Amino acid sequence: MNEHVPSHFIEEIIENDLKKSVSRENLRFRFPPEPNGYLHIGHAKAICLNFELSRKYGTSINLRFDDTNPTKEGQNYVNSIKKDILWLGFKWDKECYASDYFEQLYQWAKKLIWKGKAYVDEQSQEVILAQRKTPFEAGIESPYRRRSIKENIELLERMRAGEFEEGQYVLRAKIDMNSPNMNLRDPIMYRILKKSHHRIGKKWCIYPTYDWTHGQSDYIEQISHSLCSIEFENHRPLYNWYLDQIYEDGKIKPRQCEFSRLNLSYTIMSKRKLQRLIEKKYVQGWNDPRLPTLSGFRRRGYSPEAIREFCNKIGVTKRDNVVDISLLEFSIRKQLNKTAPRVMVILDPIKLVIENYPPKYGIRNLPFSKRLYIEREDFMEVGSKKFFRLCLGGEVRLKNAYIIKGISVIKDYEGKIIEVHSFYDYKSLSGSNTKESLRKIKGTLHWVSSEHSIKVEVRLYDRLFSVPFPDGNKERDFMDFINPNSLKVVQGYGEPSLREAKKGNIFQFQRLGYFCVDPDTYKERIIFNRTVTLKDSWKKVKQ
RNA sequence: GGACCCGUGGUGUAAUGGUAGCACAGCAGAUUUUGGUUCUGUUAGUCGGGGUUCGAUACCCUGCGGGUCUACCA
């Protein structure tokens, strides 16, 4: 439905191409991660974009690993990336690897030499960089730029044969050392790296660079629209230049389109910076629930549906953007509100004694008794008009149970309240439909029966950073803004039904938030992660 | 200094030359046995200056602001 109403500018480009150059069945997409880190929610934006485009147009989509740098990549990353995409709810048609195209790339490189469009340079990296100069001035051509075709071919073959050391030779495209676009100042196509590759081992000792690989891989797979983030915009002329060298009539010439990457408030997205947080032990690993990685969100209790909905909501443009984290929280709350079973758990207990309650009674499935726990925060000796929770002389409903009235407190020698005493109205049981049970009482508290409750570990996660744009300050390092209270571990008291909770289950702890069972849970010790709090309009009144 | 890209409420995003709309956040109220949910209402915006046009958020010029580029990373 609505197939002809583009929902963002990339669809508009596609619709235009459909009218002009490309037929519908030739539309093809790809998601091209480098296997050198874990996927984060910024990747999810790109994944949703590409996969949903392929779904919309009924065409195929490849997962392609951009594995051209054996010094940084690994099979563990390949595995985690596949797992995360599947978890998000998407299935690719072909699983591809740029490393499978190395032979073709090599042959094309030779073709470029034959055309006089590439040459082997033997200057040091420092010299090559220096000759490139800056964007504001002309570069200097390499003295090896005019090497003969025969010699170039021979040297490239010897590079491949492993006759040289790393850094001794490189293959460069011969484009324009005066271009204002630095990518066109004779970019490197091949470098010597005597490293074993995670997939193809020691088959190669020269590796193609990203620019010399990406567009050609798109071409081999006949990708019609190659979507990437905005920082590749300046690479597009090079992308097209390479394709022009190898293009054959009748084939699809891929089109690169750029869109802006996702930034989320109160967090960071850069792989390198995430890595730093992990190395410095501010978080416990790539799947720490505070991280914006997909594995982190999964552990935190976020559902793939919520993440997909979020990605659809944020749109696709070319502007800089910082999306408010509350939009993500809205997505997960919206879903969990519909699906999560409600239970009662006390996180910061205070004892509540119901003096006139007979010791033996109970409510089926949810034991009620004379001695309960309620949240310390839910009691004040002297209430106020705004505070409609328990206070001395005031009435409150215990959720799914009785109406009680506070009558006295017991304090320790420091004056801290250790016990609240109350009376209950035995006719006021919830759902009993008595006149007393139908009385309007402003406040309702959650509770657990102290003798029946089970102890649980609860990990209260909060934002990783205490400022909205930890990354946006040029003078200060993002590490300065780490929220020291991003994790608080407490012992809670849960209703006994939680004994049956399984890893990954998610509940609403009534009046507190949504919590999921952590994989670290074992038989005697159930661990809950707080996914997100409930919206709390009381917190605002208090402040 | 150069090239390329981008400027719409606090945030994200629509409007493709014809009433500036939606969502989140905020605020107010109603409902509520979760201060949740739900419902209703509401505050708030086209970066500035010129031009083209009956009419400009859109097109042109210019200024300003922001981003990217000076890797043998992707």
Side-chain angles (χ1 to χ4, degrees):
Chain A
M1 56 202 79
N2 282 343
E3 291 221 18
H4 302 292
V5 183
S7 55
H8 48 70
F9 80 100
I10 289 181
E11 272 190 38
E12 230 166 277
I13 291 172
I14 293 171
E15 290 290 333
N16 269 328
D17 288 346
L18 243 22
K19 282 179 204 143
K20 287 184 281 182
S21 48
V22 188
S23 65
R24 208 183 165 91
E25 61 272 19
N26 284 337
L27 249 28
R28 206 172 317 290
F29 303 97
R30 109 263 92 118
F31 175 65
E34 186 193 12
N36 72 340
Y38 283 69
L39 258 26
H40 55 59
I41 194 160
H43 295 110
K45 173 180 178 178
I47 293 169
C48 291
L49 211 209
N50 281 290
F51 278 83
E52 258 147 39
L53 242 20
S54 104
R55 173 149 51 205
K56 170 164 183 170
Y57 288 104
T59 183
S60 64
I61 176 161
N62 295 342
L63 169 61
R64 181 173 74 236
F65 290 97
D66 229 332
D67 53 349
T68 57
N69 185 356
T71 62
K72 291 184 176 172
E73 297 154 6
Q75 187 60 39
N76 55 325
Y77 295 120
V78 170
N79 298 342
S80 77
I81 288 170
K82 285 161 68 174
K83 181 179 174 183
D84 285 345
I85 298 173
L86 256 12
W87 175 75
L88 250 195
F90 296 111
K91 189 113 185 49
W92 52 89
D93 293 288
K94 278 195 240 160
E95 182 176 326
C96 306
Y97 293 84
S99 50
D100 284 339
Y101 308 143
F102 282 1
E103 184 60 39
Q104 173 67 266
L105 254 12
Y106 179 77
Q107 295 306 329
W108 275 331
K110 278 187 162 178
K111 184 177 172 182
L112 257 67
I113 293 177
W114 282 113
K115 289 170 75 172
K117 298 288 182 71
Y119 62 98
V120 173
D121 202 342
E122 60 187 81
Q123 303 179 100
S124 71
Q125 184 168 1
E126 294 70 42
V127 172
I128 291 175
L129 288 185
Q131 287 172 347
R132 264 212 272 261
K133 298 280 189 176
T134 68
F136 324 110
E137 53 191 332
I140 297 167
E141 294 188 353
S142 164
Y144 301 97
R145 207 172 195 259
R146 307 167 77 97
R147 206 193 282 278
S148 75
I149 289 172
K150 184 165 165 286
E151 201 183 339
N152 277 322
I153 294 284
E154 196 185 301
L155 282 171
L156 180 63
E157 282 172 353
R158 292 177 63 195
M159 280 167 68
R160 178 181 184 172
E163 292 185 28
F164 307 122
E165 296 307 310
E166 286 189 11
Q168 211 177 335
Y169 288 91
V170 288
L171 183 70
R172 292 228 257 168
K174 193 189 288 183
I175 309 181
D176 178 6
M177 287 306 287
N178 294 326
S179 173
N181 184 336
M182 297 301 282
N183 296 120
L184 263 18
R185 315 255 270 218
D186 289 10
I188 309 295
M189 294 171 69
Y190 276 100
R191 72 277 211 200
I192 297 170
L193 290 173
K194 300 207 163 172
K195 298 273 170 11
S196 180
H197 184 281
H198 67 93
R199 260 188 90 243
I200 52 175
K202 298 198 165 155
K203 198 167 164 192
W204 292 85
C205 62
I206 56 172
Y207 287 90
T209 53
Y210 165 84
D211 286 305
W212 172 239
T213 306
H214 200 91
Q216 283 51 250
S217 302
D218 287 337
Y219 182 66
I220 290 168
E221 295 173 23
Q222 286 290 279
I223 302 302
S224 60
H225 294 83
S226 178
L227 315 183
C228 62
S229 46
I230 208 89
E231 66 270 28
F232 292 104
E233 209 159 28
N234 292 338
H235 292 240
R236 180 151 32 101
L238 179 55
Y239 182 99
N240 290 333
W241 189 90
Y242 279 140
L243 282 179
D244 287 339
Q245 308 311 313
I246 61 163
Y247 180 75
E248 294 169 311
D249 281 342
K251 293 263 198 163
I252 297 288
K253 191 158 152 188
R255 177 203 283 273
Q256 174 179 304
C257 310
E258 311 84 15
F259 60 93
S260 38
R261 47 197 310 166
L262 166 68
N263 298 294
L264 247 194
S265 63
Y266 294 98
T267 189
I268 52 164
M269 221 60 96
S270 131
K271 265 188 220 176
R272 223 193 71 250
K273 289 177 180 169
L274 292 173
Q275 196 122 36
R276 231 174 105 196
L277 289 173
I278 294 165
E279 276 162 13
K280 298 257 152 102
K281 308 266 187 217
Y282 286 99
V283 296
Q284 284 153 11
W286 283 103
N287 69 342
D288 189 290
R290 287 165 289 185
L291 258 23
T293 53
L294 294 183
S295 46
F297 279 122
R298 179 164 58 232
R299 188 165 182 183
R300 176 96 172 229
Y302 272 74
S303 65
E305 293 81 3
I307 291 178
R308 276 189 264 127
E309 189 192 88
F310 170 76
C311 289
N312 287 333
K313 275 208 168 109
I314 58 176
V316 182
T317 67
K318 299 183 77 158
R319 314 172 199 143
D320 283 354
N321 63 83
V322 183
V323 177
D324 195 326
I325 187 97
S326 66
L327 185 61
L328 216 211
E329 293 175 345
F330 171 78
S331 299
I332 188 62
R333 283 194 189 108
K334 184 177 163 190
Q335 212 221 335
L336 261 17
N337 177 47
K338 286 184 281 196
T339 57
R342 317 277 134 137
V343 295
M344 293 199 278
V345 176
I346 299 298
L347 296 183
D348 181 16
I350 186 170
K351 287 178 192 164
L352 174 72
V353 178
I354 302 175
E355 292 195 349
N356 61 337
Y357 192 79
K360 281 283 185 265
Y361 283 12
I363 298 168
R364 195 164 55 96
N365 292 338
L366 183 61
F368 188 85
S369 64
K370 189 180 181 76
R371 295 175 180 279
L372 309 174
Y373 290 128
I374 60 172
E375 298 289 350
R376 183 166 287 278
E377 195 195 37
D378 284 341
F379 176 77
M380 277 173 86
E381 282 183 83
V382 183
S384 74
K385 202 160 182 198
K386 287 275 179 67
F387 183 84
F388 33 95
R389 302 180 179 187
L390 185 61
C391 55
L392 293 183
E395 279 189 316
V396 81
R397 156 85 58 192
L398 293 176
K399 180 87 182 158
N400 300 123
Y402 300 94
I403 295 169
I404 59 165
K405 183 185 231 172
I407 52 169
S408 64
V409 295
I410 298 177
K411 297 181 181 177
D412 66 11
Y413 60 93
E414 283 177 317
K416 187 182 175 193
I417 299 170
I418 51 172
E419 221 169 272
V420 178
H421 284 236
S422 63
F423 283 132
Y424 87 120
D425 175 354
Y426 73 98
K427 288 180 181 163
S428 68
L429 180 61
S430 290
S432 63
N433 258 326
T434 59
K435 185 176 79 214
E436 291 80 356
S437 75
L438 295 173
R439 281 169 57 213
K440 297 281 175 210
I441 299 289
K442 187 76 175 161
T444 302
L445 307 187
H446 62 287
W447 53 273
V448 294
S449 162
S450 44
E451 64 170 305
H452 302 94
S453 68
I454 60 169
K455 289 179 183 172
V456 295
E457 177 177 326
V458 185
R459 299 177 177 170
L460 301 170
Y461 292 105
D462 200 352
R463 306 181 158 158
L464 226 202
F465 294 93
S466 43
V467 299
F469 318 114
D471 230 355
N473 193 316
K474 280 183 179 127
E475 273 87 62
R476 292 241 260 147
D477 188 65
F478 74 99
M479 302 282 262
D480 295 350
F481 303 111
I482 292 177
N483 174 8
N485 304 313
S486 63
L487 171 59
K488 212 166 96 193
V489 182
V490 301
Q491 179 178 263
Y493 296 82
E495 61 172 76
S497 72
L498 282 173
R499 240 188 289 267
E500 310 304 321
K502 301 281 180 297
K503 291 176 186 179
N505 285 175
I506 186 148
F507 300 91
Q508 187 196 94
F509 290 3
Q510 290 190 98
R511 300 211 303 135
L512 297 174
Y514 297 97
F515 295 76
C516 76
V517 182
D518 189 84
D520 281 354
T521 287
Y522 54 91
K523 214 165 160 197
E524 279 73 38
R525 183 159 155 272
I526 302 178
I527 301 171
F528 288 98
N529 295 326
R530 180 167 70 195
T531 307
V532 66
T533 60
L534 256 33
K535 270 181 80 174
D536 186 359
S537 47
W538 164 240
K539 201 164 69 188
K540 286 168 201 151
V541 177
K542 268 196 305 190
Q543 285 160 359

